[in-house]
């Protein structure tokens, strides 16, 4: 039991390191712009091209790498991230820095997909609880990485932030060598058999469910800072605190989701979009102008954001349990598509009306996800692998 727990937490550190490398750059974009003498929009390519790499590699790389031993692939991916992070510290050329972002992004889905699959296999009947721990690493990488990288760049230097990225992935690499055993794995399905799961209509409904429910969260969240500033009239310092609180609530939401999905998975999934839609309706009709109510709603929203990551991964991976790595790769790509499409969709409401209308975009995505979830739950054979 102790060995299993240690393995899970090493995976958590590894996932944190990978997400920290991806998202931590958000906190240092102004410093990149200054140090490399490029405008902020150009510096933003470090984020957008990384996300594009993850989106493209999501359904392909986990499939290709599913034939290789997991420990070997985990070490390979962590090694790639560590090397690229170290070289990022040393380079003065922005084009090289950009290449050092694109290369690891291609392998990002491999490690994350294997981490989810390994946690589920170790957990057995308690798989959702173990997978929830992996999602804690995801949330921490997205939330803690940004303020830490910003703090280090401001206090010391841009290179100090990049050193932090390298230290985390190197730590996971060393821990994997020392403590992670060679994981025995049942013979994986052939590539053709894994791709064959795409013939099932329910797989595509699951992909759509992930796109819309993830979009319902991030389509609005990506404009949360602007909403809090323009509508609620919070000061920049208060907004920073609230965003950090939102992230911490994500972690607690992940922990709660693990328990809920273990006890009542179907009802957790069916009720989630209802809860999220209710929050959006309250925010919309409340107007978001009350600082107290908006603070409380942001906390609840953060908890739901943490639950979201777990139920979407649970839903897609359970629609194809015989091809876990490929299914988790599909999940990562679907989640990214949801984030990008909903951000653009909600942006249209802002352009057409005002920042207040961003909630309508999130509500529409949430209602569509509700219809998809409830339709799937009405299909009695949904969780039975079709051979």
């Amino acid at each position: 039991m102790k060995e299993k727990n240690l393995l899970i937490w090493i995976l958590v550190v590894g996932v944190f390191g990978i997400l920290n490398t991806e998202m931590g750059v958000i906190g240092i974009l102004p410093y990149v712009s200054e140090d490399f003498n490029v405008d902020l929009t150009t510096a933003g390519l470090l984020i957008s091209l990384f996300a594009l790499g993850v989106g493209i590699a999501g359904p392909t790389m986990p499939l290709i790498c599913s034939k290789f031993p997991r420990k070997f692939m985990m070490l390979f991916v962590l090694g790639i991230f560590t090397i690229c992070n170290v070289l990022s510290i040393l380079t003065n050329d922005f084009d090289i820095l950009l290449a050092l972002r694109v290369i690891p992004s291609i392998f990002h889905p491999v490690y994350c997909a294997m981490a989810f699959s390994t946690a589920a296999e170790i957990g057995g009947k308690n798989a959702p609880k173990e997978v929830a721990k992996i999602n804690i690493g995801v949330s921490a990488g997205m939330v803690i990485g940004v303020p830490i990288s910003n703090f280090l760049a401001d206090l010391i230097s841009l290179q100090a932030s990049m050193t932090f990225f390298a230290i985390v992935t190197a730590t996971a690499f060393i821990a994997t060598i020392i403590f992670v055993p060679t994981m025995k794995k049942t013979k994986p399905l052939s590539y053709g058999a894994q791709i064959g799961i795409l013939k099932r209509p329910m797989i595509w409904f699951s992909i759509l469910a992930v796109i819309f429910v993830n979009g319902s969260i991030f389509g609005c969240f990506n404009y949360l800072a602007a909403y809090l500033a323009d509508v609620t009239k919070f000061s920049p310092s208060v907004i920073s605190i609230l965003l950090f609180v939102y992230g911490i609530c994500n972690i607690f939401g992940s922990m709660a989701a693990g328990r809920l999905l273990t006890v009542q998975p179907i009802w957790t999934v069916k009720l989630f979009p209802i809860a999220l839609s209710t929050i959006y309706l309250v925010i919309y009709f409340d107007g978001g102008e009350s600082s107290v109510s908006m603070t409380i709603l942001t906390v609840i929203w953060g908890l739901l954001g943490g639950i979201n990551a777990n139920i979407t991964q649970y839903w897609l991976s359970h629609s194809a349990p015989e091809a876990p790595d490929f299914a988790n790769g599909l999940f990562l790509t679907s989640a990214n598509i949801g984030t990008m499409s909903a951000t653009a969709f909600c942006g249209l409401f802002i352009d057409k009306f005002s920042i207040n209308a961003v909630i309508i975009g999130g509500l529409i995505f949430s209602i569509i996800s509700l219809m998809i979830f409830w339709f799937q739950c009405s299909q009695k054979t949904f969780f039975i692998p079709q051979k």
Side-chain angles (χ1 to χ4, degrees), residues 282-300:
V282 172
I283 293 174
Y284 184 76
F285 287 107
D286 178 65
E289 297 177 359
S290 169
S291 58
V292 175
S293 65
M294 194 61 205
T295 299
I296 295 172
L297 289 168
T298 300
V299 169
I300 299 172

Side-chain angles (χ1 to χ4, degrees), residues 32 36 46 88 91 93-101 162:
V32 171
F36 287 85
L46 296 175
S88 296
T91 186
D93 187 302
F94 182 76
D95 290 335
I96 294 176
L97 181 64
L98 204 56
L100 292 171
R101 291 282 294 171
M162 295 180 176

Side-chain angles (χ1 to χ4, degrees), residues 132-375:
K133 293 176 183 177
I134 304 300
N135 273 311
I136 289 174
V138 173
S139 298
M142 296 176 68
V143 176
I144 298 175
V146 175
I148 289 179
S149 64
N150 180 270
F151 174 77
L152 290 173
D154 182 56
L155 185 67
I156 306 174
S157 68
L158 174 63
Q159 288 68 32
S161 293
M162 295 180 176
T163 300
F164 174 65
F165 300 160
I167 288 174
V168 177
T169 52
T171 299
F173 180 86
I174 294 169
T176 300
I177 291 177
I178 298 174
F179 298 110
V180 174
T182 300
M183 290 172 274
K184 293 182 179 180
K185 184 181 176 183
T186 56
K187 185 179 180 180
L189 296 177
S190 66
Y191 291 141
Q194 292 186 67
I195 295 174
I197 69 172
L198 295 175
K199 296 178 181 178
R200 304 178 196 166
M202 280 299 165
I203 285 288
W204 290 102
F205 278 107
S206 296
I207 289 172
L208 288 174
V210 173
I211 288 173
F212 280 100
V213 75
N214 203 69
S216 69
I217 289 286
F218 286 98
C220 289
F221 172 73
N222 288 342
Y223 298 103
L224 180 57
Y227 187 92
L228 293 175
D230 296 344
V231 178
T232 317
K233 306 299 182 184
F234 281 135
S235 67
S237 59
V238 173
I239 291 173
S240 296
I241 293 171
L242 265 183
L243 291 176
F244 184 74
V245 168
Y246 177 95
I248 295 300
C249 289
N250 266 210
I251 295 175
F252 285 107
S254 291
M255 296 168 64
R259 296 179 180 276
L260 291 171
L261 289 170
T262 301
V263 179
Q264 286 288 349
I266 300 300
W267 277 106
T268 298
V269 172
K270 291 173 72 174
L271 294 177
F272 176 81
I274 296 177
L276 184 61
S277 298
T278 302
I279 290 295
Y280 285 155
L281 286 170
V282 172
I283 293 174
Y284 184 76
F285 287 107
D286 178 65
E289 297 177 359
S290 169
S291 58
V292 175
S293 65
M294 194 61 205
T295 299
I296 295 172
L297 289 168
T298 300
V299 169
I300 299 172
W301 193 358
L303 292 170
L304 290 175
I307 294 173
N308 160 70
N310 287 268
I311 67 169
T312 50
Q313 186 277 333
Y314 175 93
W315 203 246
L316 192 42
S317 64
H318 276 68
S319 64
E322 72 276 40
D325 293 339
F326 183 44
N328 281 315
L330 291 173
F331 156 69
L332 293 167
T333 294
S334 303
N336 274 276
I337 291 173
T339 297
M340 291 186 289
S341 59
T343 301
F345 184 72
C346 291
L348 293 176
F349 280 88
I350 296 174
D351 292 339
K352 184 69 175 178
F353 303 103
S354 67
I355 187 68
N356 305 59
V358 69
I359 301 299
I360 298 176
L363 181 61
I364 291 173
F365 265 64
S366 181
I367 291 172
I368 294 174
S369 71
L370 170 66
M371 293 188 292
I372 297 172
F373 278 146
W374 280 68
F375 168 73

Side-chain angles (χ1 to χ4, degrees), residues 41-98:
T41 303
T42 302
L45 290 173
L46 296 175
I47 297 172
S48 57
L49 289 185
F50 195 107
L52 180 62
V54 174
I56 293 174
T60 55
M61 290 303 292
L63 173 65
I64 293 171
C65 298
S66 63
K67 296 282 188 173
F68 297 94
R70 282 187 181 165
K71 180 174 181 177
F72 168 80
M73 286 310 307
M74 288 176 179
L75 287 171
F76 179 78
V77 175
L78 290 170
I80 290 290
F81 268 78
T82 301
I83 291 170
C84 288
N85 283 332
V86 170
L87 293 176
S88 296
I89 301 169
L90 304 175
T91 186
N92 294 315
D93 187 302
F94 182 76
D95 290 335
I96 294 176
L97 181 64
L98 204 56

